[in-house]
Amino acid sequence: MRIIALLCLSSLALAPFTAQSQAPKAQLATPQVSQLATPQVVAQTPPMGWNSWNYFAGRVDDKGIRAAADQLVATGMKDAGYVYVNIDDTWEGERDASGVLHANAKFPDMKSLADYVHSKGLKIGIYSSPGPKTCGGYVGSLGHEEQDAQLYASWGIDYLKYDLCSFIGDVLEKQAPDDKPAQMRLMIAAYTKMDKALKATGRPIVYSFCQYGWDAVWEWGPAAGANLWRTTGDVTPDWDRIYAIVSQQEGLEAYAGPGHWNDPDMLEVGNGKLTLAENRTHFTMWAMLAAPLLAGNDLPNMKPEIKAILTNRDVIAIDQDALGRQGARIYSDGEVEVWTRPLSGGALAIAVVAVGDSRYSTHPFHLNLRKLGLAGTQTGKDLWTGNTVKLTDGEPLELASHDVLLVRVDQPKFTSAAIFR
Ligand code: GLA
């Protein structure tokens, strides 16, 4: 039903725009609120795809986006669920006399690029800021929100990442110096404004807030239209940063659900000097957190072991579980943490993470199933080896530094206390 509804929505929404060329004129009509399209149904599971920033940053161009789309198909990532090809910052050129924004020379024809990405069965995303400038110093959307939303829709854009950046210095600090509550209201108004502009296009567009988790965005983001919101500052391909971000997600699990997700930032799997164990743990924890899975690596030069991590269907199924409940840290012992995530059909994912640099007193680590609300031995699947495993209360587990054990238990046996919790 939902798929049919979406198809109808997108074909209706596209109709007014199909004849538009790359740069639509400023006079594109903005529908009145009463004419707004049916509310969009997007991001029912955490969005999956690829984004240009983490590896290519300012080197992204039309050719690179086409190559990424080709690789998503060739590597099987598309079949595994990665559908969004997202252009991050540095695509923007200048506005013309009518205020219409044009892409810069790296992107000669956005409409044709979007058509190319769509022809592969993929979707395309773009980036802007509510401020006058993006984080990279390119032109932002301030004062041109409706015009930009119409422009994106005319190109066929399916996803917008909206990054606070210069809105801080140029708007918040100028209009409401030293008045944090007023600044928060201005920020919410700016995000809401773009939400209305996107919805007015009638095109289903995933709306991603990038304001680094300020002012408890998880509390007001969904009402301002967010399908996902960054919960922290930027990720880097470095274990300490990745683990710090994971730790910052504690307590946010209540805010995630179909259509609205916590976003601990894009994936660094395959980037920098992350070890194989670190890449595996990073990917595991993003799945446990019901996080968007936006790969950020160099797809044309991806190593087979990185592809194996990114396309592990069992782990992706944890991330994409229809129940949409984010996992939580249940307990830690020394430098080992145990997280669980409830899954549809009564199943449970258990992740045991060796977060420390060395083994210390918890080696070997003894798993306490009762603390997880589980009674007796549990049979499950180790999602990184594919083996069937039996988890016994108190059993010793040996994990290498920064590595993870991820087990899916389809029929967990809960203690009566856990059942009635
Ligand atoms: C900010 C965001 C990043 C990226 C850059 C682009 O730092 O948090 O994810 O989009 O801007 O300039």
Side-chain angles (χ1 to χ4, degrees):
M1 272 303 268
R2 191 162 60 74
I3 294 171
I4 294 170
L6 259 180
L7 284 176
C8 296
L9 229 188
S10 56
S11 49
L12 276 177
L14 279 172
F17 297 111
T18 42
Q20 295 289 331
S21 64
Q22 188 201 356
K25 299 291 172 267
Q27 62 268 24
L28 271 176
T30 301
Q32 300 303 304
V33 174
S34 58
Q35 299 173 314
L36 290 186
T38 320
Q40 300 172 2
V41 182
V42 291
Q44 290 301 291
T45 59
M48 289 180 66
W50 177 88
N51 174 291
S52 59
W53 186 255
N54 281 357
Y55 185 81
F56 291 99
R59 288 170 290 129
V60 63
D61 61 9
D62 175 285
K63 202 164 147 246
I65 293 295
R66 286 173 198 255
D70 292 345
Q71 289 303 310
L72 286 181
V73 175
T75 57
M77 285 176 72
K78 177 192 159 201
D79 289 341
Y82 296 84
V83 293
Y84 290 99
V85 184
N86 291 351
I87 307 167
D88 209 280
D89 202 358
T90 82
W91 66 267
E92 309 86 342
E94 297 300 327
R95 294 192 187 276
D96 63 23
S98 312
V100 175
L101 181 60
H102 295 263
N104 61 38
K106 296 192 296 171
F107 291 91
D109 187 344
M110 275 293 192
K111 176 77 172 74
S112 123
L113 177 58
D115 288 348
Y116 183 80
V117 171
H118 289 149
S119 77
K120 303 275 164 185
L122 298 164
K123 294 175 186 286
I124 185 161
I126 209 155
Y127 166 100
S128 190
S129 169
K133 296 278 179 205
T134 67
C135 288
Y138 290 76
V139 173
S141 293
L142 184 68
H144 296 271
E145 294 81 0
E146 288 165 6
Q147 215 170 13
D148 286 359
Q150 296 288 345
L151 176 70
Y152 305 149
S154 75
W155 285 341
I157 296 295
D158 306 295
Y159 186 119
L160 172 67
K161 173 175 168 183
Y162 208 42
D163 195 346
L164 197 61
C165 290
S166 67
F167 195 81
I168 303 167
D170 286 323
V171 180
L172 300 183
E173 284 163 9
K174 283 196 180 135
Q175 289 187 22
D178 304 322
D179 185 349
K180 295 290 174 200
Q183 291 189 0
M184 182 173 164
R185 286 193 294 275
L186 284 168
M187 178 172 58
I188 295 174
Y191 276 91
T192 305
K193 188 169 194 182
M194 182 52 97
D195 178 52
K196 290 209 171 99
L198 292 174
K199 292 219 168 68
T201 69
R203 186 174 175 84
I205 297 175
V206 173
Y207 189 23
S208 158
F209 287 21
C210 180
Q211 47 77 274
Y212 336 115
W214 286 14
D215 294 333
V217 57
W218 36 88
E219 289 178 358
W220 53 265
N227 296 119
L228 60 155
W229 51 85
R230 280 271 296 277
T231 54
T232 68
D234 289 12
V235 68
T236 54
D238 152 82
W239 170 260
D240 288 344
R241 181 67 192 138
I242 288 169
Y243 175 61
I245 287 180
V246 170
S247 301
Q248 283 177 266
Q249 310 312 305
E250 277 202 86
L252 301 188
E253 51 273 7
Y255 299 96
H260 52 96
W261 307 100
N262 290 305
D263 174 11
D265 207 354
M266 303 169 295
L267 292 166
E268 291 282 17
V269 174
N271 286 342
K273 292 198 167 66
L274 292 174
T275 65
L276 214 49
E278 289 167 348
N279 278 307
R280 208 168 23 233
T281 305
H282 173 22
F283 196 64
T284 298
M285 292 315 292
W286 262 234
M288 292 296 284
L289 292 167
L293 296 181
L294 295 169
N297 58 326
D298 179 10
L299 293 178
N301 294 301
M302 177 164 57
K303 294 196 175 119
E305 59 272 24
I306 296 301
K307 179 173 119 177
I309 291 174
L310 288 171
T311 56
N312 183 319
R313 302 276 183 131
D314 287 332
V315 182
I316 291 172
I318 303 289
D319 181 76
Q320 296 287 298
D321 186 78
L323 198 58
R325 282 188 61 187
Q326 178 173 325
R329 192 177 81 157
I330 306 299
Y331 78 98
S332 63
D333 185 359
E335 294 191 303
V336 180
E337 297 192 350
V338 186
W339 292 64
T340 64
R341 179 172 172 187
L343 303 169
S344 46
L348 188 73
I350 304 170
V352 185
V353 194
V355 299
D357 292 333
S358 34
R359 291 169 167 178
Y360 296 121
S361 56
T362 45
H363 179 73
F365 171 75
H366 293 268
L367 182 63
N368 188 329
L369 290 178
R370 292 196 75 79
K371 282 190 178 166
L372 308 184
L374 296 170
T377 300
Q378 310 284 324
T379 305
K381 182 175 179 186
D382 177 330
L383 302 188
W384 287 113
T385 64
N387 296 335
T388 299
V389 287
K390 282 192 188 303
L391 296 175
T392 310
D393 205 15
E395 81 171 85
L397 295 176
E398 299 210 6
L399 284 171
S401 170
H402 302 175
D403 212 342
V404 68
L405 170 73
L406 176 63
V407 175
R408 180 191 180 106
V409 181
D410 276 326
Q411 293 178 310
K413 290 172 279 171
F414 291 104
T415 59
S416 46
I419 292 169
F420 294 111
R421 210 163 36 207

